[in-house]
Amino acid sequence: VSTQSTWAKKKDIKTAYKKMALKWHPDKCKEDTKTCESMMSKVSQAYDTLSDEEKREVYDATLGSFSSLSSAAIKLTNENYDELVLESQEFWIIQVYTEYYKACRTFAPIWEEAIIQFGDFIKFGRVHGSHVR
């Protein structure tokens, strides 16, 4: 399932999942039980990620990594940016980030510390680099 490319449709993902689930299901697998259970767990995790739009977005944005840069900052999108930022009377600091860019990973702890120290005075928002238009 995890070999599906970023353009795979939900139907393609589901078909690949069913094929892999049949191959690795412990009741049908020809390998030893431990291997079958391990592979079935990986197949299920891949399907869970790729079939969920939000998880799939992170997976695609991180080039297949499951580790996202979590944050206490407000997630800003095209849908909420105007209302939250532009129509607000508050001061904002906005970070544009991507998980696969090393500088963003290095900066993440500093960003979170700033939120803790100054979050009562300034709003902190984040925009994922793949969503910037």
Side-chain angles (χ1 to χ4, degrees):
V1 176
S2 62
T3 60
Q4 294 290 315
S5 64
T6 58
W7 51 263
K9 295 183 171 99
K10 285 186 178 187
K11 180 182 174 192
D12 299 330
I13 293 167
K14 190 170 190 173
T15 301
Y17 168 73
K18 286 181 179 182
K19 181 179 176 183
M20 296 301 287
L22 282 172
K23 178 179 179 178
W24 293 109
H25 193 280
D27 293 340
K28 305 214 179 212
C29 183
K30 295 180 176 139
E31 303 289 328
D32 64 278
T33 305
K34 193 171 190 165
T35 300
C36 296
E37 288 173 351
S38 173
M39 290 302 295
M40 189 63 203
S41 175
K42 290 177 183 178
V43 168
S44 295
Q45 180 184 13
Y47 180 71
D48 179 58
T49 299
L50 298 176
S51 63
D52 180 285
E53 285 185 37
E54 193 169 310
K55 290 178 184 177
R56 169 92 181 260
E57 188 176 300
V58 171
Y59 181 87
D60 289 346
T62 60
L63 305 175
S65 169
F66 285 101
S67 62
S68 155
L69 292 175
S70 61
S71 177
I74 297 168
K75 181 180 177 182
L76 298 172
T77 65
N78 288 334
E79 292 76 28
N80 70 9
Y81 184 84
D82 287 353
E83 179 184 346
L84 293 177
V85 179
L86 296 180
E87 296 170 10
S88 160
Q89 296 298 314
E90 300 180 88
F91 292 103
W92 281 83
I93 297 178
I94 300 171
Q95 175 192 38
V96 177
Y97 74 100
T98 57
E99 291 88 351
Y100 56 86
Y101 188 54
K102 185 179 179 183
C104 290
R105 288 192 176 278
T106 304
F107 183 65
I110 298 164
W111 176 254
E112 295 307 310
E113 183 60 32
I115 294 171
I116 292 167
Q117 287 186 1
F118 305 111
D120 292 339
F121 312 104
I122 301 171
K123 293 286 188 180
F124 286 81
R126 294 175 84 202
V127 176
H128 197 279
S130 67
H131 302 162
V132 176
R133 297 182 209 265

